Amino acid sequence: MQALLALLLCLPLSKQTTPSPLETRASFGDPLVDKAWALVGPETVPVPWPKGLPTESLRSAPEGPEALAAWHAALGQLLGKEATLEQRADARLVLCLIAQAQARHQDAWQHLIRLTDHPGHTLRAVPYLWPGVPLGTQIGAGGRVSVPAGTLFTPAFPPQPPAGQERPLDAGPQTMAWLGLLEVGGQRLDLRATLPNTGLELELTRPSQAVLHLLVCMPAIRNYERDLVYSDWDRMNDSDAPVDVVLPADRATPWTLFARLRPNFEPWPASPAPGSLWRRDRSLALVVPAGSEVDASTQALAGHLAAILDLPVACTTADQPLAARTTAIDLGQGPERTQRIRRLLSAVEGFTLDS
């Protein structure tokens, strides 16, 4: 992925043909995700929304205490040796939905591909990733979704190969499609995402001839940020704000949203190798800025990490000394804090599930 996006603005955009009004399908441009979706038929129904997963908290505070408690419980269930296959699928579903709420898109896709043998779970998760309907939205048989006009869509960045693997540069632009399965304000809306070497392009097409209103938050990938965002080739002033789209009644051609991405790397330590002696006499410290108070959310995070990693985890400020063999994790503040907590949760998931 890094090599692919390093060629920013080197190739022209690839245009897609307008889908037939009768076409109904979903595709993801990734063989493992497509394999998971292949078992979802027109009459497949989703499993219920997971018990104990707070929908409103995921929307408003995806790194808050309630979401972290659900994350801890699901991770513990997945790691439990006595868990049944169905319980493991339930846990994967929860971790997938939490990752999507936290914009950890690649983590969400990686959890999803492990639901291949559970089409009801797959169907419950996919529409929240692509096309990105709000969490908790009712999902119909086969993936049919109806949302009111003005709904905010938060599509996940297209699934990418695991770390250390690269998508072949000669494979062409990656595409995702969601055709004939979505209604917005009672009108059909088709979406097609294309990932060329220049950024991410999203086409919105609707067969009807009526005004259609929605909002879209263009996705980005870890270590990249949205540099420029265009709505039907008009540049947006704020690249991070949701794009307000109003399709006019006489619009017959696709409405195009485009986000150009640029690298924004933050160094992050690799997880210890399984079986290493890293844990011996080791402790962690969550560090907040000097002069700040350690709030309840940070304390809750420390408690969950201590239980999952079986390590002492303290909370401290940047002006306090650390004990020997203590690994400090600087949480920062503001948007930086949010991103670092997400990176930390991702790293803990990878370390515990791969060990």
Side-chain angles (χ1 to χ4, degrees):
M1 183 61 203
Q2 296 175 8
L4 184 63
L5 290 180
L7 301 176
L8 297 177
L9 299 179
C10 291
L11 296 178
L13 292 178
S14 171
K15 293 297 181 182
Q16 303 295 327
T17 58
T18 302
S20 163
L22 299 179
E23 189 176 6
T24 301
R25 66 182 177 90
S27 60
F28 307 89
D30 180 274
L32 295 178
V33 181
D34 285 327
K35 179 181 178 181
W37 184 257
L39 294 182
V40 176
E43 305 305 321
T44 302
V45 296
V47 297
W49 181 265
K51 292 182 179 179
L53 187 60
T55 309
E56 292 304 320
S57 294
L58 280 185
R59 291 179 179 178
S60 60
E63 293 82 28
E66 288 187 290
L68 288 177
W71 173 78
H72 181 183
L75 192 56
Q77 181 168 304
L78 193 59
L79 293 170
K81 296 181 180 180
E82 303 301 323
T84 65
L85 291 178
E86 192 70 15
Q87 289 172 331
R88 291 179 182 275
D90 291 343
R92 282 286 184 188
L93 174 60
V94 170
L95 293 176
C96 176
L97 295 175
I98 292 175
Q100 169 62 3
Q102 296 172 343
R104 294 190 287 118
H105 296 157
Q106 299 316 304
D107 292 339
W109 288 119
Q110 288 301 308
H111 289 304
L112 180 75
I113 64 177
R114 289 168 172 81
L115 294 174
T116 300
D117 297 327
H118 302 271
H121 291 72
T122 299
L123 180 54
R124 168 54 65 186
V126 163
Y128 305 123
L129 279 70
W130 175 245
V133 299
L135 292 172
T137 296
Q138 183 175 352
I139 309 300
R144 293 171 176 82
V145 184
S146 180
V147 296
T151 291
L152 172 63
F153 288 78
T154 56
F157 195 87
Q160 300 302 305
Q165 301 180 25
E166 292 288 348
R167 191 177 300 279
L169 291 177
D170 59 355
Q174 183 181 356
T175 62
M176 298 196 301
W178 191 264
L179 311 176
L181 296 170
L182 173 65
E183 285 189 353
V184 179
Q187 300 182 64
R188 169 174 165 170
L189 178 66
D190 292 331
L191 297 97
R192 191 189 302 270
T194 305
L195 183 63
N197 293 336
T198 47
L200 179 67
E201 180 177 317
L202 181 62
E203 289 186 344
L204 293 75
T205 307
R206 51 96 165 81
S208 62
Q209 295 298 310
V211 175
L212 191 151
H213 176 222
L214 70 155
L215 294 96
V216 181
C217 183
M218 293 295 284
I221 193 173
R222 180 182 297 161
N223 286 328
Y224 286 84
E225 63 183 2
R226 291 175 291 269
D227 182 21
L228 296 172
V229 172
Y230 294 86
S231 179
D232 213 39
W233 307 114
D234 287 334
R235 181 176 171 178
M236 300 289 97
N237 293 327
D238 187 348
S239 298
D240 293 325
V243 182
D244 196 334
V245 179
V246 179
L247 297 176
D250 57 353
R251 178 79 177 215
T253 57
W255 188 282
T256 302
L257 303 177
F258 176 74
R260 190 178 75 175
L261 305 177
R262 66 178 178 185
N264 182 24
F265 290 93
E266 180 182 27
W268 193 262
S271 297
S276 73
L277 299 179
W278 180 86
R279 290 173 181 263
R280 181 176 296 177
D281 300 325
R282 176 74 64 174
S283 64
L284 299 179
L286 303 183
V287 182
V288 301
S292 302
E293 292 187 4
V294 177
D295 59 14
S297 178
T298 304
Q299 293 174 346
L301 175 60
H304 294 307
L305 295 179
I308 292 170
L309 298 174
D310 193 22
L311 289 173
V313 182
C315 299
T316 186
T317 58
D319 54 352
Q320 297 295 317
L322 297 176
R325 292 189 59 78
T326 297
T327 298
I329 302 172
D330 184 359
L331 296 182
Q333 55 188 335
E336 179 183 66
R337 172 188 168 93
T338 299
Q339 293 302 320
R340 290 185 180 180
I341 289 178
R342 292 173 178 179
R343 290 288 298 268
L344 178 58
L345 298 180
S346 179
V348 170
E349 281 185 12
F351 174 69
T352 55
L353 296 178
D354 294 341
S355 297

